[in-house]
Amino acid sequence: MTEDSLAGLRDDEAQQRLAQDGPNALPVSRPRSVLRLLREVALEPMFLLLVACGALYMVLGDIQEALMLLGFVFVVMGISFVQQRRSEQALNALRDLSSPRARVLRASGERTIDARELVVGDVVLLAEGDRVPADLLLLTCNNLAIDESLLTGESVPVNKDAASAEEAKAFSGTLVTGGTAHGRVIATGERSALGQIGQSLAGIEVQATPIQQETHRVVIRIAIIGLSLAAALALTFGFLRNDWLHGLLAGLTLAMAILPEELPVVLTLFLGLGAWRLARENVLARSIPAVELLGATTVLCVDKTGTLTANRMTVRQLWSESAAHHVANEAAASTSTSATNARAPALQEALHGLLEYAVLASHRRAFDPMEAAITQAGRQLLANTEHLHTDWTLIDDYALSPEMLAMSRVWQSPDQRARLIAAKGAPEAIVDLCHLSAERSATIAAQVLAMAADGLRVLGVAQAVFVAEELPGVQHDFDFQFLGLVGLEDPVRPDVPAAIAECKTAGIRVVMMTGDHPATAISIARQAGLSTDAPAITGSELADMSDAQLDARLADTHIFCRVQPDQKLRLVRAFQARGDVVAMTGDGVNDAPALKAADIGVAMGARGTEVARQAAALVLLNDDFSSLVTAVRYGRRVFANLRKAIVFVVAVHVPIVGLSVVPVLLGWPMLLMPVHILFLQLIIDPACSVVFEAEPLEPDAMKAPPRKTDQRLFDGAVMKRGLWQGAGLLVLLLATYAGTRALAPMDEGRDEMARAMTFVVLVLSNLALIHTNRSWTRTVWWGRAAMVGQFGWIALTTIALLGVVLSVPAVSRLFAFVTPTAGLLLGAAVMVGVSLLWFEGVKRRLANPL
């Protein structure tokens, strides 16, 4: 490699290319702007109705009423703005890999710059521990090894060689685990291999969740019916009373009463609060509707590396021809009782040399996962022995090569003239270096197969002594002695078996998709608690299967190994074609297309790539697999509590609509005006959302199978319960109004007092309605238990606001009220008690709709 080939760009050249190609970064989603929020709010039907009512009140000369109505717009806009901003800020905190630092050679010398500033043609210096900042063509390599698991799913590092056409490239986002190199940037940003996979996601269309689609259909249908009835009421009022302005106001009031704007608001608040609660459990919801959809998940597709496993190697077995030792699992060891001071069996003396020389054959400052595992095992199993040699001097090393899949390191001890050589590598390579007999070689090969069948990656270890001054040119010239085998594994995360067991109890099928060897995949599946009864399907078998053949195998197969990224995507599509709701977990770039195509994509946040996180609907911030089960639990809770809230919304709309229509038909004054409806919507409806959302999940909910995919949020049982509860309340309210008019003094304020009484009963009965629908299996009638949690605060706040409306003259005039007498208020309390009995009777009479 000549000096000219390593020449860097001039600064002006780099700036020109940066301006031409753009920054070396993947595109990220931008938060909605304030103007976009304003535009979305302005197009809401409720906004348009409020503006129309406000304008009408302006015409009628009631400025205060108009300003109050229009003020509601800013409340809605503020809720939307704060919620979106919080979600985007949480996502921004995850982008820790989007812009690493890079060391480059420029004409002005070696510099460390932000990787966003890299351009094609830059010469980048790589060393152990560096993350490759862009796609590179390697110019020089010195024992370079790169962990490409984020791209390929394979946890074993790949050795790179600048002279090899196949191994002369390093890809953006991968990790250097050993050696050094120079590389010239050949692709940045979207043009890199990582960026191209990200671009492929754009072709996958994301569908709205079933609950979103259903809510949208219901809102449109009711809105059409409501607006038609409102127009009819306005015309009827105008013809009967010859007062077209108040007729128009009555029509708009009915439209506001019927229009189910609470449904999108309730849905938003439920999912937003659910996402907030999940964030406290270290689960970030990038797509908030996915929180609810998790409750319907029937199939969970999981990646092995970094999802089921920790994506770090651990020594699990040591074997020599005279002894064997199984290293205790760290998770199991950590859970053993400390009271008994239980300790793992000590390493046999016959295996000390094996581990000693395995450590010597590894780098002291290890970045390679397997070398790090060997070093850690040495510290644990050889502690307080003479087999750890921190004072030995490294003389030379022989690198791993395609011709010899083994590496040797030459050491000099302080008290010996001879050089000690430690070698490790592929077992067949170590056997070759030791020149073993056919019989010994067969015994070792059989042991390697047995260890591989247990899912272990196996390395052979050998030692040699060399007394001459000049070291030979190749490893074969040393007189090696075979010491034994080291078995390593990428361990299953300690939380995974319990999480998978809970998924099975909840009726969720868990399948594993990995690029690993079948033996390794089956071993990991067995440790994780997945079913291994049916044969695994390999990528090559999958490629030869038709869709019909694959569908026949999907029913029983839980393990898919040696699969490519496009095959993961095909599997997700195949499960969806069977009618399953699919959640897909992963952390690598190779998982991103399947993550986006799945109904719910779940990315690992700590170790995962930015592309995976951008493609996923949920991100596990701490990579704790059990957090996914928590997310499923919250999903089921959201759907169940949403149905409780829908019953309330239906029930409360029946009397509001009735009180808007019946007085017109009976010739009474208008009972409800826009300000009254806004009081209910602004105070009671959001409050009920908070109360129902906070209700805990029923104890047996995670022991039931997922809800059916065709189960609707607005089904017959929910509508029937809401309509019965609402109809009973409407009768009570009409009786309250008629009774108050009959009992109140015959003066100009009789109608206003009757309106106030009706409104008081309506508001307090809404609180009773909320309390009744908090649980479908129990009832707490009174006392501290009845007011526990959010409901207590909501009830006290609502009663206080109602007191202000009744007692402050300016507010009472705004509501067109005359404060009722004490006797009438006592009667109102009795009517509220009757409404509570009615709600409870309906609840007990009708079957549980949840």
Side-chain angles (χ1 to χ4, degrees), residues 180 382 480 721 725 798:
T180 59
L382 298 178
F480 280 108
R721 180 169 298 220
Q725 289 180 338
T798 302

Side-chain angles (χ1 to χ4, degrees), residues 544-581:
D544 295 333
M545 285 184 182
S546 65
D547 290 342
Q549 291 172 325
L550 175 59
D551 183 71
R553 294 284 300 275
L554 284 181
D556 301 318
T557 304
H558 291 78
I559 304 171
F560 301 87
C561 48
R562 293 297 192 198
V563 293
Q564 301 298 318
D566 60 328
Q567 293 177 324
K568 291 185 179 182
L569 180 59
R570 182 188 177 192
L571 288 170
V572 168
R573 296 294 197 198
F575 279 115
Q576 291 173 328
R578 290 168 51 89
D580 286 307
V581 177

Side-chain angles (χ1 to χ4, degrees), residues 647-825:
V647 169
F648 168 79
V649 170
V650 172
V652 82
H653 266 261
V654 171
I656 292 176
V657 172
L659 293 179
S660 299
V661 175
V662 172
V664 175
L665 300 179
L666 297 180
W668 294 349
M670 286 182 60
L671 263 178
L672 293 182
M673 294 181 291
V675 65
H676 304 132
I677 296 176
L678 278 179
F679 182 93
L680 295 171
Q681 292 171 341
L682 197 57
I683 302 298
I684 301 298
D685 292 346
C688 90
S689 300
V690 174
V691 172
F692 288 129
E693 190 279 332
E695 286 300 309
L697 187 65
E698 299 296 334
D700 295 334
M702 285 300 287
K703 296 180 181 179
R707 69 174 188 269
K708 296 180 180 179
T709 55
D710 59 351
Q711 183 177 4
R712 295 181 295 124
L713 188 62
F714 302 85
D715 61 10
V718 167
M719 301 302 293
K720 183 178 181 180
R721 180 169 298 220
L723 290 173
W724 272 106
Q725 289 180 338
L729 179 57
L730 175 59
V731 172
L732 287 174
L733 292 172
L734 293 174
T736 300
Y737 182 79
T740 303
R741 292 191 74 200
L743 296 175
M746 295 291 294
D747 56 24
E748 294 181 358
R750 183 182 65 169
D751 291 336
E752 287 77 6
M753 186 176 294
R755 180 185 292 117
M757 275 286 293
T758 305
F759 189 74
V760 168
V761 174
L762 174 60
V763 170
L764 296 181
S765 295
N766 280 344
L767 294 178
L769 188 60
I770 295 171
H771 179 60
T772 295
N773 289 305
R774 289 167 64 188
S775 173
W776 298 107
T777 58
R778 58 182 174 79
T779 300
V780 181
W781 289 98
W782 59 75
R784 187 174 182 180
M787 301 292 285
V788 70
Q790 304 286 351
F791 177 73
W793 292 106
I794 296 300
L796 293 175
T797 302
T798 302
I799 293 172
L801 290 173
L802 186 60
V804 171
V805 170
L806 295 176
S807 61
V808 177
V811 181
S812 294
R813 286 194 299 270
L814 185 64
F815 279 73
F817 285 168
V818 169
T819 304
T821 63
L824 288 177
L825 289 176

Side-chain angles (χ1 to χ4, degrees), residues 297-300 302 308 495-512 524-534 556-559 625 628-629 632-633 636 700-706:
T297 300
T298 58
V299 173
L300 176 57
V302 298
L308 293 181
D495 60 293
V496 165
I500 289 181
E502 188 168 0
C503 286
K504 291 181 178 180
T505 302
I508 301 173
R509 182 181 174 197
V510 182
V511 299
M512 180 173 68
I524 294 297
R526 189 178 296 114
Q527 295 176 51
L530 294 178
S531 172
T532 57
D533 295 338
D556 301 318
T557 304
H558 291 78
I559 304 171
F625 188 77
L628 183 58
V629 181
V632 172
R633 190 180 300 115
R636 294 191 175 191
D700 295 334
M702 285 300 287
K703 296 180 181 179

Side-chain angles (χ1 to χ4, degrees), residues 283-599:
V283 180
L284 175 67
R286 294 195 67 250
S287 173
I288 292 180
V291 175
E292 176 276 328
L293 190 58
L294 268 172
T297 300
T298 58
V299 173
L300 176 57
C301 301
V302 298
D303 181 49
K304 179 188 76 69
T305 304
T307 305
L308 293 181
T309 65
N311 200 19
R312 58 178 178 81
M313 303 302 290
T314 300
V315 173
R316 189 62 65 225
Q317 185 175 353
L318 298 170
W319 179 89
S320 73
E321 292 168 290
S322 60
H325 179 81
H326 291 267
V327 181
N329 183 284
E330 293 178 12
S334 64
T335 57
S336 62
T337 174
S338 58
T340 59
N341 294 321
R343 301 183 63 181
L347 182 65
Q348 302 97 307
E349 184 67 32
L351 296 173
H352 280 191
L354 167 62
L355 186 54
E356 172 188 6
Y357 276 84
V359 172
L360 288 172
S362 305
H363 293 81
R364 281 176 173 168
R365 184 170 174 262
F367 287 91
D368 180 276
M370 290 189 290
E371 290 196 341
I374 291 171
T375 302
Q376 178 64 22
R379 293 195 193 102
Q380 292 178 347
L381 300 177
L382 298 178
N384 303 318
T385 70
E386 71 279 8
H387 297 287
L388 293 178
H389 308 290
T390 58
D391 57 342
W392 283 22
T393 303
L394 180 66
I395 302 300
D396 202 353
D397 61 8
Y398 294 80
L400 198 74
S401 67
E403 296 76 22
M404 175 54 65
L405 297 178
M407 61 176 293
S408 299
R409 310 196 85 199
V410 182
W411 297 89
Q412 179 75 60
S413 67
D415 56 351
Q416 291 187 15
R417 176 179 175 81
R419 282 83 177 278
L420 302 175
I421 298 92
K424 76 174 190 307
E428 59 273 18
I430 296 298
V431 168
D432 181 36
L433 287 176
C434 296
H435 306 291
L436 300 181
S437 65
E439 183 178 354
R440 291 185 65 191
S441 298
T443 300
I444 295 169
Q447 180 61 28
V448 170
L449 288 176
M451 294 171 70
D454 288 334
L456 301 181
R457 299 187 181 277
V458 186
L459 295 177
V461 180
Q463 74 167 106
V465 178
F466 192 75
V467 296
E469 287 293 333
E470 185 175 350
L471 293 173
V474 294
Q475 302 177 64
H476 260 296
D477 291 345
F478 294 114
D479 187 14
F480 280 108
Q481 297 180 14
F482 181 78
L483 295 178
L485 302 173
V486 178
L488 303 100
E489 70 173 358
D490 185 3
V492 171
R493 294 176 183 271
D495 60 293
V496 165
I500 289 181
E502 188 168 0
C503 286
K504 291 181 178 180
T505 302
I508 301 173
R509 182 181 174 197
V510 182
V511 299
M512 180 173 68
M513 301 177 185
T514 178
D516 228 321
H517 189 277
T520 303
I522 292 172
S523 175
I524 294 297
R526 189 178 296 114
Q527 295 176 51
L530 294 178
S531 172
T532 57
D533 295 338
I537 296 179
T538 64
S540 58
E541 293 174 330
L542 185 60
D544 295 333
M545 285 184 182
S546 65
D547 290 342
Q549 291 172 325
L550 175 59
D551 183 71
R553 294 284 300 275
L554 284 181
D556 301 318
T557 304
H558 291 78
I559 304 171
F560 301 87
C561 48
R562 293 297 192 198
V563 293
Q564 301 298 318
D566 60 328
Q567 293 177 324
K568 291 185 179 182
L569 180 59
R570 182 188 177 192
L571 288 170
V572 168
R573 296 294 197 198
F575 279 115
Q576 291 173 328
R578 290 168 51 89
D580 286 307
V581 177
V582 181
M584 168 79 188
T585 71
D587 67 343
V589 175
N590 60 315
D591 299 323
L595 285 174
K596 188 170 184 180
D599 298 287

Side-chain angles (χ1 to χ4, degrees), residues 14-93:
Q15 289 298 323
Q16 183 179 359
R17 294 187 183 185
L18 183 62
Q20 176 182 337
D21 297 338
N24 175 38
L26 297 180
V28 295
S29 57
R30 295 182 177 179
R32 290 182 294 178
S33 65
V34 177
L35 292 178
R36 181 179 173 187
L37 281 174
L38 286 171
R39 184 172 64 253
E40 291 180 356
V41 172
L43 295 177
E44 288 291 331
M46 179 54 65
F47 172 84
L48 300 177
L49 287 175
L50 288 173
V51 171
C53 288
L56 190 56
Y57 273 113
M58 289 283 190
V59 173
L60 294 173
D62 197 335
I63 305 299
Q64 288 183 330
E65 186 91 5
L67 293 177
M68 183 176 181
L69 295 179
L70 297 176
F72 181 65
V73 176
F74 296 98
V75 176
V76 175
M77 186 170 61
I79 293 173
S80 300
F81 180 81
V82 171
Q83 177 182 317
Q84 183 65 23
R85 279 289 185 263
R86 286 181 177 176
S87 177
E88 292 294 336
Q89 288 171 0
L91 180 60
N92 288 336

